[in-house]
Amino acid sequence: MIALPSSEREFWRHILTEMAYDVDGTRKGASLGRHKSIFHRTLHRHVREIRAREQLRIPRYWTWWHLLAIPFTWAMFPLSVFAYFQIFWAMHVLIYLHDSGRLVDFLGGSLTLPQFLTLVFPVFGAIPVALMAGNTLLWIIPWARQAQAEKKGPCFAQRHAELMKIARILVPLTLAVGTIGALFPLA
C-alpha cells in the first residue's frame, strides 16, 4: 500500500507527478485521455485509502440497543413539553384563581403571547430532557451498557455531561420564559 502524503500540497504534487511520469521515470505522452484515467484511478485510490484510515481511527459506537432508545426518546419529548405546560398552568392558576376552569379558553382561539411562551417555547427545554431520558434508559439496561462498553465509544457519563451543558442553558431559560407567560392574565 502506498503511504499517503501528509499535507494537501504533497497530495496534489504526488498525483500530478504520477500523471506526468511512468513508473520507470520517463515522461509520458501528452494523451489527455490517459492522463484523465490515471488521475481518476489515483484519486479514487487515495480516497479509498483515506476512508480506510478514517474508519480505523474513528470507532463506531452505535449499537442495536439505540433502536430501543429512539422511540423512548421520542415518547419522552411530548411528555416533557406537557410537564412544562402543567407547571406553567399551575403557576397561572395559583396567581389567577378564577382561571382554574378556563383551560379550554386558554388553549382555544388564535395564538397569543402567553400561549406561545407556555406552549411553544417549552419545546426547546424538552429536547435535552428527552435525550437525557433516552441516554439513561441505555444506562439502566445492563446488556445495553455492556454492549456500549464493548464498542469503546463515549460512555454514559461523557454523553450525559454533554447533554447537561445544553440543559444548563435551555431548561432554566424555558422555566424563566414560561413563568413570564404564566404571569399574563387570560383575555
Side-chain angles (χ1 to χ4, degrees), residues 6-79:
S6 59
S7 70
E8 186 177 350
R9 174 183 251 170
E10 291 175 19
F11 171 76
W12 288 110
R13 183 179 295 142
H14 174 71
I15 286 178
L16 293 175
T17 303
E18 194 167 315
M19 278 178 36
Y21 295 96
D22 275 330
V23 179
D24 60 354
T26 59
R27 186 124 172 103
K28 292 181 180 175
S31 168
L32 185 60
R34 182 170 178 196
H35 288 302
K36 274 186 161 181
S37 67
I38 292 172
F39 176 77
H40 286 292
R41 275 188 277 134
T42 305
L43 184 62
H44 288 297
R45 185 180 73 232
H46 280 292
V47 168
R48 278 194 311 269
E49 290 174 0
I50 289 170
R51 283 184 184 160
R53 186 174 63 184
E54 290 295 321
Q55 286 176 352
L56 292 175
R57 189 172 58 183
I58 299 173
R60 306 259 178 184
Y61 59 87
W62 183 269
T63 65
W64 290 102
W65 287 99
H66 286 87
L67 293 177
L68 175 70
I70 290 172
F72 181 75
T73 303
W74 278 102
M76 287 304 295
F77 179 72
L79 289 174

Side-chain angles (χ1 to χ4, degrees), residues 61-180:
Y61 59 87
W62 183 269
T63 65
W64 290 102
W65 287 99
H66 286 87
L67 293 177
L68 175 70
I70 290 172
F72 181 75
T73 303
W74 278 102
M76 287 304 295
F77 179 72
L79 289 174
S80 301
V81 173
F82 181 72
Y84 277 123
F85 175 71
Q86 288 296 318
I87 291 169
F88 300 143
W89 182 250
M91 283 183 198
H92 179 80
V93 169
L94 281 174
I95 296 169
Y96 303 103
L97 293 174
H98 59 279
D99 287 344
S100 63
R102 296 182 59 197
L103 180 61
V104 175
D105 295 338
F106 181 75
L107 297 176
S110 62
L111 185 67
T112 62
L113 181 63
Q115 287 174 332
F116 176 77
L117 296 178
T118 57
L119 287 171
V120 178
F121 201 79
V123 166
F124 301 111
I127 292 171
V129 172
L131 290 173
M132 288 170 69
N135 192 27
T136 305
L137 176 72
L138 289 177
W139 181 75
I140 289 173
I141 301 171
W143 303 286
R145 198 175 340 143
Q146 181 182 8
Q148 190 66 34
E150 290 171 1
K151 290 287 187 170
K152 296 196 181 354
C155 66
F156 169 79
Q158 291 171 335
R159 287 185 186 158
H160 228 62
E162 297 276 328
L163 290 171
M164 282 299 284
K165 288 178 188 176
I166 298 168
R168 282 186 195 136
I169 297 168
L170 289 179
V171 171
L173 183 66
T174 299
L175 290 173
V177 170
T179 302
I180 291 170

